[in-house]
Amino acid sequence: MSAADEILDIVDENDQVIGQAPRGEAYALGLRHRCVFVQARDAEGRIFVHRRTPTKLVFPSLHDMFVGGVVGAGESYDAAALREAEEELGVTGLPRPRHLFTFLYDNGSGRTWWSAVYEVRCELPVRPQAEEVAWHDFLSEAEVERRLADWAWVPDGLAAYERLRAFRSAGSRGLDGAPG
């Protein structure tokens, strides 16, 4: 089965399931679905950053500071976060990612998807999926900030990152142990 054939739950503006559709159809018709964004940090607190392969269905060849993806039909956000993080990082035995917040992403063209943001510490050697990740590295927060203007980023990941910065600035602590 191809990625476009994966069945997704279609949800309403309140994140309630109202139907199901193949991923390709959901994307083509702009049907609201669910996604997870997992910020993975190594033992030194650096962020896993990668460039997507040119064969990805959405946002090919763009950089991202999250691993993640769509939530399958009947799958919980928590289960999808762990599955996607282990798949994209190429590891097994990752601790369960910690849910931080959920928001409704709007791409500016009337297409929206529910986005759950997580964080996880990955102290295992990573072996990202070659079919999903063209390049990767762990970068310091300062380096990520410097690259924001220089690199082309996935727009929903960038929106999640901006919300994560605001979330941490509001006093919540993350894996790096520091507020904001």
Side-chain angles (χ1 to χ4, degrees), residues 78-132:
D78 288 351
L82 180 59
R83 175 184 54 77
E84 287 284 352
E86 287 189 336
E87 283 177 8
E88 288 194 26
L89 294 170
V91 301
T92 55
L94 205 60
R96 180 166 298 283
R98 183 170 77 101
H99 179 256
L100 302 174
F101 59 90
T102 302
F103 71 100
L104 182 61
Y105 174 75
D106 184 336
N107 74 353
S109 299
R111 295 187 181 214
T112 63
W113 47 92
W114 282 100
S115 305
V117 178
Y118 290 78
E119 65 181 357
V120 70
R121 175 84 63 189
C122 180
E123 298 183 9
L124 303 165
V126 298
R127 293 176 301 282
Q129 291 179 314
E131 60 273 10
E132 297 209 13

Side-chain angles (χ1 to χ4, degrees), residues 7-172:
I7 303 299
L8 307 182
D9 284 332
I10 304 305
V11 296
D12 65 14
E13 64 278 358
N14 298 310
D15 199 16
Q16 299 300 309
V17 176
I18 58 172
Q20 295 181 334
R23 182 198 301 213
E25 181 180 325
Y27 287 0
L29 298 176
L31 302 175
R32 189 178 298 118
H33 54 284
R34 295 172 170 159
C35 294
V36 292
F37 295 82
V38 183
Q39 186 178 77
R41 291 179 181 260
D42 66 6
E44 288 81 45
R46 297 174 302 178
I47 300 168
F48 179 83
V49 176
H50 66 283
R51 189 177 66 250
R52 297 162 64 90
T53 60
T55 57
K56 295 290 285 181
L57 283 176
V58 294
F59 311 133
S61 300
L62 298 183
H63 288 86
D64 202 349
M65 66 281 285
F66 294 96
V67 294
V70 296
V71 178
E75 186 177 33
S76 70
Y77 281 114
D78 288 351
L82 180 59
R83 175 184 54 77
E84 287 284 352
E86 287 189 336
E87 283 177 8
E88 288 194 26
L89 294 170
V91 301
T92 55
L94 205 60
R96 180 166 298 283
R98 183 170 77 101
H99 179 256
L100 302 174
F101 59 90
T102 302
F103 71 100
L104 182 61
Y105 174 75
D106 184 336
N107 74 353
S109 299
R111 295 187 181 214
T112 63
W113 47 92
W114 282 100
S115 305
V117 178
Y118 290 78
E119 65 181 357
V120 70
R121 175 84 63 189
C122 180
E123 298 183 9
L124 303 165
V126 298
R127 293 176 301 282
Q129 291 179 314
E131 60 273 10
E132 297 209 13
V133 176
W135 168 90
H136 73 279
D137 201 357
F138 282 95
L139 303 179
S140 69
E141 189 107 24
E143 182 66 16
V144 171
E145 290 290 326
R146 277 194 297 278
R147 299 293 184 179
L148 288 178
D150 298 338
W151 292 353
W153 297 89
V154 297
D156 58 348
L158 193 55
Y161 185 73
E162 290 167 355
R163 286 176 182 261
L164 180 56
R165 286 191 309 198
F167 175 81
R168 289 195 170 129
S169 293
S172 300

